[in-house]
Amino acid sequence: MAPRYAPSLRWRLAPLLLSLQVGFIAVYGFYTEINSNENIHGITFSNFYPSLQDLDVIVFLGFGFLCTFPVRYGFSGSGFNFLVAAMTTQFAIILNGIESWYYRGKIRIDLKSLVVAEMCTVSALISIGAVLGKTNPVQLILIALLEVSGFVLNKWILQTLLKSQPLNSIMQLHIFAAFFGLTLTWMLYRKESEQGFEKEKSDHKTRLFSMLGTVFLWMFLPTFNSVLVDDAVRKMEAVCSTYLALAVSAVTAAAVSVLSSPKGKLNPNHMQTCILAGGVAAGVSISVIHQPWEAMTIGLTAALISTIGFRYLKVHMLLAFQCHDTLAVLSTHGLPGLLGWLAHLLLQLKDFDNQTMRIRFAIFHIGTLLTTITLSLSMAVITGLLVKLNFWRPTPDRKCFDDQAFWEFPHLAVLKYSAKKEASAAQSLE
């Protein structure tokens, strides 16, 4: 018989968080310094800090509200997202600064390093969306740290060995995170997923809050896609291209949602997840998009495959491959990310006049995708083997998607006590 209450994490979560935080403080104390050069590579505080604030909105508000759709998992969805983001960003700064530490003896921290760290954190937040509600906070912390380690390693391989541009290597985060999350949810599969978890449902209020998270992501994705573009002209192209792709994907998702509905009505799930597909696809191919029609075509195609994938693939992924994808990262990030990779290939080949250069770039581009997917799957398998250990006290099936497994609610305790007292009084009268 399954335990009635979720196991206590007192001797696992608290020691893990405190030990990691003390370790980070020690590393920052001995091996980091703040870069006081205000104007380096054209980056100044006044023109770069607003971009960092926009990324904060994406990380803490966008993904935080996005995870609140389960009717009894709002505190955990937003709270664990905040906890994971705060911890992972510190870790990503260290990982991204290892090369600087090796050559200079110090990890230099500036606005750009904070931005890159938060973009690495986004990859972790995407991945944990696939296992949301079925993992405890200890497992989420471990998943995020290992996923970011794998993503930073993938970024280093693409930039150092394959000579990929930094922007292109970082924008692979959608593909890396989606395949990592899908493999992880396959590794952590629960049979309860086949019938559907008892508490994995939403109501009008929670769905509205989750839609608010989507709106935050939709609004600030242009900044996300353009923040690492150095040239002012190219940055303007990236912002406009992302906005147009997002606008077209929102309209297309609404149209396809109505067409695919038996009753001809809008599906709120489509409007919540698939309207971001255009921005995701444009982000992966942002370095080669120069014309508005290119961005709009990518947005339309991304919304098509995302909406169709959400309606038909999510159920089949569960039944055929035992992948219970909670936040539909395959439809929101995986398929649009692959489309963006393909668009990047086609648009870049169009710009080459030499056939030999086209063949070389095609081989190189295919190599970046295979490297990203291979490393993503490998890290996900390692992570899955680690976090599925009983030592981490996994949440029982009946306590999945339930805030009460991890949070104190004194008013609920009072209500339960009152109800129990009334029931006892009624029995005594009988």
Side-chain angles (χ1 to χ4, degrees), residues 109-274:
I109 302 176
D110 53 21
L111 289 178
K112 188 172 183 178
S113 66
L114 295 179
V115 164
V116 173
E118 288 206 344
M119 296 183 79
C120 295
T121 297
V122 168
S123 68
L125 299 181
I126 294 171
S127 296
I128 66 176
V131 295
L132 186 72
K134 301 163 290 184
T135 46
N136 62 44
V138 177
Q139 292 173 312
L140 290 179
I141 292 292
L142 294 174
I143 290 170
L145 296 181
L146 290 171
E147 199 275 349
V148 167
S149 301
F151 176 71
V152 172
L153 176 61
N154 181 73
K155 179 169 67 72
W156 180 83
I157 291 174
L158 295 184
Q159 293 181 15
T160 305
L161 302 183
L162 297 180
K163 305 301 180 182
S164 177
Q165 297 179 8
L167 175 63
N168 294 334
S169 63
I170 292 178
M171 283 304 173
Q172 294 285 333
L173 67 91
H174 298 285
I175 299 175
F176 187 96
F179 281 93
F180 185 97
L182 289 174
T183 306
L184 191 61
T185 192
W186 171 70
M187 293 284 295
L188 304 178
Y189 182 74
R190 296 168 179 254
K191 290 187 177 180
E192 186 72 15
S193 304
E194 298 176 2
Q195 293 80 26
F197 288 96
E198 177 186 355
K199 299 164 185 174
E200 188 190 4
K201 55 185 179 180
S202 59
D203 59 13
H204 180 76
K205 183 183 296 184
T206 59
R207 181 62 69 181
L208 188 60
F209 272 104
S210 186
M211 185 63 190
L212 181 61
T214 301
V215 172
F216 278 125
L217 293 174
W218 196 95
M219 290 172 58
F220 292 98
L221 261 179
T223 301
F224 186 86
N225 289 347
S226 64
V227 65
L228 295 181
V229 179
D230 295 329
D231 183 71
V233 176
R234 286 293 302 124
K235 186 181 286 289
M236 177 62 71
E237 290 180 353
V239 170
C240 294
S241 298
T242 304
Y243 181 84
L244 290 173
L246 285 167
V248 172
S249 66
V251 175
T252 306
V256 177
S257 179
V258 172
L259 290 174
S260 60
S261 172
K263 298 182 179 180
K265 295 183 178 181
L266 288 169
N267 187 321
N269 293 325
H270 295 167
M271 296 305 297
Q272 181 181 343
T273 59
C274 302

Side-chain angles (χ1 to χ4, degrees), residues 5-20 80 134-146 184 188 190 381-396 405-406:
Y5 301 103
S8 173
L9 301 176
R10 180 192 302 273
W11 302 114
R12 285 163 179 77
L13 181 60
L16 176 66
L17 294 178
L18 291 176
S19 59
L20 285 173
F80 294 161
K134 301 163 290 184
T135 46
N136 62 44
V138 177
Q139 292 173 312
L140 290 179
I141 292 292
L142 294 174
I143 290 170
L145 296 181
L146 290 171
L184 191 61
L188 304 178
R190 296 168 179 254
V381 171
I382 296 173
T383 304
L385 292 174
L386 176 62
V387 300
K388 70 188 299 184
L389 297 176
N390 289 329
F391 175 79
W392 307 115
R393 308 295 292 275
T395 309
F406 309 107

Side-chain angles (χ1 to χ4, degrees), residues 324-400:
H324 180 240
D325 187 2
T326 304
L327 278 181
V329 297
L330 175 63
S331 301
T332 310
H333 299 275
L335 296 179
L338 291 175
L339 174 66
W341 174 88
L342 180 61
H344 188 285
L345 174 63
L346 297 178
L347 291 175
Q348 189 68 62
L349 292 179
K350 179 177 67 70
D351 294 337
F352 286 127
D353 297 328
N354 190 309
Q355 186 67 20
T356 303
M357 293 297 297
R358 290 178 179 175
I359 295 175
R360 288 181 178 177
F361 178 79
I363 295 174
F364 159 78
H365 201 57
I366 293 172
T368 62
L369 178 65
L370 294 179
T371 301
T372 299
I373 293 178
T374 301
L375 191 55
S376 174
L377 298 180
S378 302
M379 287 299 300
V381 171
I382 296 173
T383 304
L385 292 174
L386 176 62
V387 300
K388 70 188 299 184
L389 297 176
N390 289 329
F391 175 79
W392 307 115
R393 308 295 292 275
T395 309
D397 288 344
R398 64 176 303 175
K399 283 298 180 180
C400 289

